[in-house]
Amino acid sequence: MAHVRSEIRQDWVTNTDTYGQLTADIVRPIENKPNALWLIFTIISGLVMLMCFGLIGWTIYEGIGTWGLNKTIGWAFDITNFVFWVGIGHAGTLISAVLMLFRQEWRNSINRASEAMTIFAVFCAGLFPLIHMGRIWVAFWTLPLPNTRGSLWVNFNSPLLWDVFAISTYLTVSIVFWYLGMIPDLATIRDRMKRAGRNFEAWIYGLFAMGWAGSSRNWSRYEVISLILAGLATPLVLSVHSIVSMDFATAVLPGWHTTIFPPYFVAGAIFSGFGMVQTLMIVTRKVYKLENYITMDHMESIAKIVIATGSLVGLAYMTELFIAYYSGSLWERYAFINRALGPYGWSYWIMFSCNVITPQLFWFKKIRTNMLATFIISIFVNIGMWFERFVIIITSLHQDFLPSSWAMYTPTWVEVGIFVGTFGLFMFFFFLFSKYLPVINMFEVKTLMHNIKKPQHVIDIENGNGGSVETESEYESGDSEGEN
Amino acid sequence: MEKNFLIGKFWNTDHVLKAAKTLKEKGVLIYDVFSPFPIHGIEPFLNIKRSRLAIAAFFLGLLGATVAVTCMSLIYGAIWPMNIGGKPALAFPDFVPITFEMTVFFACHGMVLTFFMVGNYWPGKKARLFDDRQTDDVFIIAIDEEKLENESAVKAVLSESGAYEIGYQTL
C-alpha cells in the first residue's frame, strides 16, 4: 500500500527522513539550556514590557490627560494601536482555520507560531480599550451583568460593545484552538523527557498533555473537532475585523462612513498579520535552524498571500478615492483630499507606498526567495498597516464639520512609550513560547513526510540490540544520524 | 484494570495500514492503534464510527444563539428599553453580531469541553503507553489477548506487514 503522490507536488519537509529526527530538531530548544542571545533578548523585551506597564500605571494614576488627545481628536493612538494589534492577530487563526479548510498543507508548519502570535497580539490589542477607559476598575461595566446601578444595561446597538464580545470570543477561541492543537505535541515532549530521565519536565508537560497516548479512536475524534473548530473559527476571523471596522463605519463621519470598511479591514488585517508572520518566521527559522520545516516554499507561499492581500488593500484605497469623488458629497470629497494632501498627507503616502507599492516586489521570485529583502518588505508592511489606521482615524477626525474646532494631534511620550512597550510584551511572550513550547506543530508536519527511512532504534532492535528497553545512547542520537 | 495485549510495533504508516487491513479481512478484532499522528483511512479497519461531536456543536451553537437573543430581547424589550432618536428599542439587525459571537463562543467551548469529557481527558492524567516512542515515531497495533483466537496467524500477519517487534504487554 504505497503512497500515491504526484511528483510535481512540493515537499514541505526537506532533508528529514525519520519522524524521530523531526521531533529532535523541533524540541531541541526545549531540551537544551537557553543560549545567551535568547536570554539577552528576553530580558530586553521583558524590560520594555515593564516600561509599558509602568506607563500604563502612570496613565491610570494621572489620567488620560497624559495623552495628546483633545476635544476634536478624542481617540487616536490608543485606537490606532488597538486596530493594529487586532489586525496582526488575524493571521494566526486564518492560517490555522481558513487554510485548513482549503487543505493548504504548508500551513502545518507555521500554524503553531502564528497562533501564538495571534494570542499575544490580541493581548496587546485588548490593553488599549481598557486603558482608554481611564477608570480601568470599572471595565466590567462593558459586560451585560445584572447590577445595582439603577439596573443600567449596556448598549447592544453599539459596535464598541460588539467589539467586547468579538474580541473576547476571538481570544478565548484562539487560545483553545492553540492549546488543543498542542496536546499531542506536549505528549511527545512528555515522553521524550521521561526517556531522558527528566522527570520534573515530564511531569509538567504531562500535566498539560492530559494523558494523550495517540490512540486511533482519539485521533479520529480529534480530527473531527479540529475540523469543526476550523469551520467555526473561519467566520469568526472575518467577523472580528468586520466588527472592528464598524466602530468607524457606523459613525456618520466622512472617511469612516463607508460600506467598504468590513471587507477592506479584513483584507488589511490578513495583510498585516502575514507581514508579521513573515517577520517572525524569517528570524525563527534562522535562529532555531528550522529551514527544513519552514522551507523556502513556505516563505514564498506567505509572500504570495501578502501580495494578494496587499493588492486587495490597494484596491480598497482606490475604491475609497473613487467613491469619494463619485458620491458628489462635498464632505466626503474634502475628507479624502485632506487625507492625501492635508497636514497629515505624509502619513497617507507612507501608508500607500508601504502597503501597495513595496509588496508588489513580491511578484519577483528573486525577491520572494531573498530572506533579507523579504524581511525588509515585511517590516514595511507592518509600518504601512500601522499608518493605515493612523490615517483613517486621525485625518477623519482632525478637521471636522466646524472649522473653528479643527485641531492637530501629536502623541505624548507616554503614548509612544505604551505603544513601544506593547512590542516588548508581544516579543517577551513570543520568546517564552519559542523556548518552552514546540514552535512547529510536530504531528501535523509528520503527516506531510514521505519516503520515511527506518529509524536507528528499530535497526538496533532488529539486530538484536535493545529491545523494549532503550539505552541512553539511543536517546542521545534521537535522529538517524547513521543513515544520512 | 490491567489487561494483556498482543502488540505489534511498526515504524511506517503504510505497514500499519496493511496490517490493519489484513487483520480486519481475517476478522480479527483490533483493540486500538496508537500513532504519533493521525493515520488517515485506518478508521474502517478498527470499526471506528465518525464522531458525533458535530451534532453537539450544532446544539451548543443553537443554545448560544438562543441565550444571546433572549437576553438582548429581554433587556431591550422589557427591562431597559432605550429610545435613541425615536428608533425602535428592539432592533434585531443590531443583535446579529453579538448573536453570532455567542453562537461561536458556546459551540467552540462547549464542544471542546464535550471532547475532553467523552475522551476522558483531564489535566495531569497519567498516559497509558505501550512504548514511550508511540508519541514520537513508533506505531502500535494492540489486540486484546482475551479476544485473540488464532495467535500464530495474527503474529504472522503482523510480521509479514512489517512489524519490527511483536510481543505481549500488560497495560
Side-chain angles (χ1 to χ4, degrees):
Chain A
M1 214 183 281
H3 273 309
V4 180
R5 190 176 161 81
S6 164
E7 283 183 12
I8 56 165
R9 300 187 77 171
Q10 299 110 309
D11 274 328
W12 294 114
V13 181
T14 55
N15 300 325
T16 309
D17 38 27
T18 63
Y19 298 122
Q21 188 191 341
L22 179 140
T23 314
D25 280 348
I26 289 164
V27 300
R28 189 170 298 123
I30 302 170
E31 288 180 340
N32 293 345
K33 284 209 169 68
N35 60 18
L37 208 66
W38 181 86
L39 269 177
I40 292 168
F41 278 105
T42 309
I43 290 171
I44 291 175
S45 54
L47 290 175
V48 176
M49 177 178 76
L50 286 182
M51 177 192 78
C52 178
F53 291 150
L55 290 174
I56 287 173
W58 172 243
T59 302
I60 291 166
Y61 173 77
E62 185 69 18
I64 301 295
T66 51
W67 295 1
L69 303 174
N70 51 48
K71 242 161 68 180
T72 311
I73 301 159
W75 55 352
F77 238 57
D78 49 341
I79 190 78
T80 304
N81 300 337
F82 165 71
V83 183
F84 171 73
W85 279 118
V86 172
I88 286 178
H90 270 59
T93 310
L94 185 101
I95 289 169
S96 51
V98 182
L99 296 186
M100 178 171 176
L101 293 185
F102 284 116
R103 302 205 179 273
Q104 293 295 305
E105 291 180 337
W106 57 276
R107 68 174 270 290
N108 287 11
S109 53
I110 54 168
N111 62 358
R112 171 76 44 75
S114 350
E115 277 174 51
M117 184 196 84
T118 288
I119 292 163
F120 308 145
V122 176
F123 282 165
C124 295
L127 274 179
F128 287 100
L130 285 176
I131 54 176
H132 192 199
M133 286 176 190
R135 293 182 292 157
I136 197 167
W137 51 93
V138 296
F140 69 94
W141 284 6
T142 59
L143 304 174
L145 301 170
N147 58 70
T148 52
R149 305 184 296 276
S151 200
L152 191 64
W153 290 92
V154 291
N155 183 0
F156 291 115
N157 299 326
S158 164
L160 296 177
L161 185 76
W162 303 348
D163 254 352
V164 174
F165 280 86
I167 301 289
S168 41
T169 303
Y170 187 60
L171 179 65
T172 55
V173 169
S174 299
I175 290 175
V176 164
F177 205 1
W178 185 56
Y179 174 60
L180 197 73
M182 211 147 38
I183 289 177
D185 282 2
L186 293 174
T188 309
I189 299 173
R190 172 196 68 200
D191 296 341
R192 266 184 77 97
M193 289 292 185
K194 206 184 288 163
R195 231 176 319 170
R198 295 165 70 170
N199 288 326
F200 178 68
E201 284 97 331
W203 178 73
I204 292 277
Y205 285 101
L207 202 61
F208 292 97
M210 295 204 182
W212 183 265
S215 134
S216 282
R217 284 162 216 288
N218 293 346
W219 276 125
S220 166
R221 218 178 266 138
Y222 186 88
E223 294 250 281
V224 169
I225 194 174
S226 306
L227 196 66
I228 304 170
L229 270 181
L232 286 168
T234 299
L236 181 66
V237 186
L238 304 183
S239 82
V240 171
H241 227 61
S242 299
I243 290 176
V244 168
S245 81
M246 287 174 201
D247 289 349
F248 307 103
T250 54
V252 213
L253 201 71
W256 287 5
H257 195 58
T258 52
T259 47
I260 198 180
F261 257 37
Y264 161 29
F265 266 51
V266 170
I270 295 165
F271 178 58
S272 69
F274 270 87
M276 191 57 106
V277 168
Q278 269 185 326
T279 314
L280 293 178
M281 284 304 144
I282 289 171
V283 179
T284 309
R285 74 197 277 272
K286 184 91 191 151
V287 171
Y288 289 121
K289 301 189 179 63
L290 297 173
E291 282 98 341
N292 283 333
Y293 311 108
I294 304 172
T295 62
M296 208 44 101
D297 286 333
H298 286 92
M299 299 315 293
E300 272 200 67
S301 299
I302 301 174
K304 285 171 191 167
I305 296 223
V306 167
I307 193 170
T309 48
S311 307
L312 273 175
V313 169
L315 181 69
Y317 294 162
M318 315 282 190
T319 311
E320 269 194 321
L321 288 179
F322 173 73
I323 295 295
Y325 154 75
Y326 196 65
S327 69
S329 158
L330 201 62
W331 309 102
E332 194 73 23
R333 276 186 193 174
Y334 178 74
F336 281 88
I337 292 170
N338 180 47
R339 210 173 253 190
L341 305 169
Y344 285 111
W346 53 272
S347 60
Y348 184 82
W349 295 109
I350 291 178
M351 162 192 104
F352 207 92
S353 45
C354 290
N355 290 349
V356 185
I357 298 167
T358 48
Q360 300 301 323
L361 291 170
F362 281 141
W363 285 108
F364 303 103
K365 196 180 169 85
K366 269 220 169 93
I367 294 192
R368 285 202 303 269
T369 52
N370 181 335
M371 285 302 106
L372 183 67
T374 307
F375 186 76
I376 293 169
I377 295 173
S378 76
I379 297 286
F380 276 135
V381 169
N382 292 325
I383 295 172
M385 283 311 290
W386 186 85
F387 270 101
E388 179 194 297
R389 281 64 179 250
F390 182 84
V391 165
I392 291 171
I393 291 153
I394 312 291
T395 62
S396 296
L397 283 173
H398 86 117
Q399 295 191 351
D400 62 2
F401 301 98
L402 207 61
S404 62
S405 65
W406 286 6
M408 293 293 282
Y409 164 79
T410 321
T412 61
W413 63 273
V414 179
E415 284 172 288
V416 177
I418 292 174
F419 176 53
V420 173
T422 50
F423 278 95
L425 184 134
F426 178 75
M427 291 315 297
F428 181 71
F429 279 103
F430 195 81
F431 284 136
L432 286 187
F433 157 73
S434 70
K435 168 70 185 80
Y436 293 106
L437 293 171
V439 284
I440 287 181
N441 194 328
M442 295 188 278
F443 83 85
E444 282 191 347
V445 177
K446 281 176 189 168
T447 61
L448 301 181
M449 290 171 68
H450 306 281
N451 305 322
I452 293 300
K453 277 193 188 152
K454 203 179 269 191
Q456 189 60 43
H457 65 92
V458 171
I459 294 170
D460 286 348
I461 290 169
E462 285 179 344
N463 292 343
N465 312 321
S468 303
V469 187
E470 269 151 358
T471 57
E472 192 63 23
S473 62
E474 217 178 299
Y475 165 72
E476 285 296 330
S477 66
D479 46 27
S480 59
E481 278 162 353
E483 285 182 46
N484 290 338
Chain B
M1 193 177 65
E2 289 212 333
K3 266 186 175 179
N4 210 15
F5 293 97
L6 173 66
I7 60 164
K9 295 186 185 177
F10 298 81
W11 58 273
N12 188 318
T13 48
D14 293 344
H15 300 169
V16 180
L17 274 170
K18 194 176 159 198
K21 188 165 181 251
T22 325
L23 288 175
K24 167 90 179 170
E25 280 163 1
K26 289 191 186 281
V28 179
L29 194 69
I30 301 173
Y31 170 73
D32 213 336
V33 174
F34 296 90
S35 57
F37 54 84
I39 304 174
H40 292 152
I42 204 165
E43 289 89 347
F45 310 138
L46 274 78
N47 303 326
I48 299 176
K49 290 197 197 95
R50 195 179 158 81
S51 164
R52 287 163 301 173
L53 276 169
I55 302 170
F58 176 78
F59 283 105
L60 287 159
L62 207 62
L63 177 71
T66 316
V67 167
V69 173
T70 314
C71 287
M72 285 190 286
S73 311
L74 270 180
I75 291 168
Y76 264 25
I79 306 171
W80 188 255
M82 278 215 275
N83 185 339
I84 301 166
K87 283 180 268 185
L90 265 183
F92 284 101
D94 281 354
F95 294 171
V96 169
I98 290 181
T99 308
F100 172 76
E101 299 299 335
M102 292 299 278
T103 308
V104 173
F105 188 91
F106 272 65
C108 280
H109 295 299
M111 187 177 54
V112 171
L113 286 179
T114 316
F115 172 74
F116 286 153
M117 280 192 296
V118 291
N120 191 23
Y121 302 105
W122 34 273
K125 181 187 172 190
K126 201 168 155 45
R128 296 168 75 230
L129 302 172
F130 284 110
D131 183 329
D132 56 15
R133 279 186 193 272
Q134 77 187 47
T135 53
D136 187 350
D137 60 353
V138 165
F139 305 82
I140 291 169
I141 293 186
I143 298 147
D144 195 338
E145 197 195 9
E146 287 166 18
K147 291 174 187 159
L148 192 64
E149 282 161 8
N150 192 346
E151 190 196 332
S152 56
V154 171
K155 276 187 170 173
V157 169
L158 289 175
S159 76
E160 274 164 27
S161 314
Y164 67 87
E165 207 179 10
I166 300 165
Y168 282 95
Q169 214 171 319
T170 39
L171 190 74

